[in-house]
Amino acid sequence: MTGIILQFGTSRFLQAHADFFLHEARQEGQNVLPVIIVQTSGSAERAGRLAAFADPAGFPVIIRGLEDGQPIERTVAVKSVERGLSVAGNWTEVVDLFCEQAEYVLSNTGDSGYDISSEANGADLDILSPRPSFPGKLAQLLFARFQRTAKPLTVLPCELINGNGPLLKGIIRDLAQKSGADAAFLTWLEEKVIFANTLVDRIVSEPIETVGAVAEPYALWAVERAPGLIMPCTHPSIVLTDKLEPFERLKLHILNLGHTTLADIWLKEGRPKGETVKEILADPAIRQRLDAVYRDEVVPGFAAHGMGEEAKAYVETTMGRFLNPYLEHRIADIAGNHALKIERRIKAFLDWAGTPAPTLEAIVHATDRKSA
C-alpha cells in the first residue's frame, strides 16, 4: 500500500505553490508521494476542476514576471496531483485514504477556514457524515485514523494565519475534548501527529480554466523545525527555520498589510471594478499614500522590535512584486473577507508594534464602527 499526500482545498494558490514544488522535486528524481486533492466545500462549479486533476498530462502553471530584473515566462505542466475527490461525493473514500494511506496532510481552506461556529457543541466524532467545518472534519478523520491504524501523521497547514499549526492543533484538541474523546486519543494526537507551523508566500494572480494558475517567480514556504518533522520533499523555495515569527511578521505586516491597505482604498473610493494592484499603484497619489504607510508607520513598528533593516529590504522587494508588469492581480480578489484581513494583517500589526500609525489606525477604527 503506497503512501499519499492528502490535500484539503482546491485553490489555485496550492496548485502554484506546494503542488508545484512537489512536481519540481519529483522531476529532479526525488521520491515524492502523489497528491490527492479533496474539495472541502460543496461548490458545484468546482466539479470540473476535480475531474481535471485526474488528467495524466497535469495542469499548467505559468510563472510570469521579473527575475533579477529580467522578464521571464515559463509554463510547467504540474503532474504531482493524481486525482481529485470531494467531501460531498466521496466521503467514505476520503476516510479510507486518510486512515490508511495518508502520510502528509496539506490544507489551504481560506481566511475563515478555522471557523468552527457552525459546529454543534458536544457532537461526537463518528464518521457517518462529515462535520460542517474543516477542523471538524479533520477531527473526525484523525479519530478514525487513531481507531483504525494509529499511524503517525504530519499536517502541513498553509492557511495564512499566524501560528497556523499550533492554532489548528488546539482547535482539534478542543473539539475532541468537547466530543468526549478519551485520553488515549488525545495522547496520540499530542505525540504522533505533527502540526507544522508554516508560512506561505507567492502571489498567484489568475486562475487558468479548468485547472491551473498564473504566478510570480518569487516563492517561499517557510516551515518551523519540530522534533520528527520531515518535509515531503526538498526544494529551493522551502526553508526550514528555528523561528518562524520573523518570516510571518514580514509577510503579514508588509506584503499582506499593503494589499489590504490598497483594497481598503479601492473599496471606499469607488475605483474601477477590475482594477489590478499595478494599475492602482500607477496613480501617483495612491503610490505616495502606500509609500508613506510603509515609511512612516510600518518600518518604525518593525524597528521598535529590532527588525528595521529587514523591514526596509522587504518593503523594497514587496513593491517590486506589486509593480510586476506581467501579473494581473485584481484587487477585487484581495478584498474578499476584508474585515477579517484587517484584523489579522493591520490590527495585529498595531497590537504588536505599539508605535504611532494614524493611517492604519483609521482603517481599523472605520471597520470597528461599521461592524458595531
Side-chain angles (χ1 to χ4, degrees), residues 296-305 349-358 361:
D296 301 333
E297 303 188 17
V298 172
V299 170
F302 276 92
H305 290 269
F349 168 74
L350 296 172
D351 292 343
W352 172 71
T355 50
E361 289 166 6

Side-chain angles (χ1 to χ4, degrees), residues 87-88 90-92 95 124-131 140-141 144:
V87 163
N90 310 102
W91 178 242
T92 299
V95 173
D124 60 35
L125 292 178
D126 70 70
I127 56 170
L128 296 178
S129 60
R131 288 171 71 158
Q140 288 175 288
L141 292 166

Side-chain angles (χ1 to χ4, degrees), residues 3 16-17 32 50 68 104 109 123 220 224 233 249 254 282 288 354:
H17 191 267
V32 178
L50 285 180
D68 298 324
Y104 294 90
T109 54
L220 173 68
E224 198 165 76
C233 71
R249 294 293 180 188
I254 294 180
Q288 288 172 11

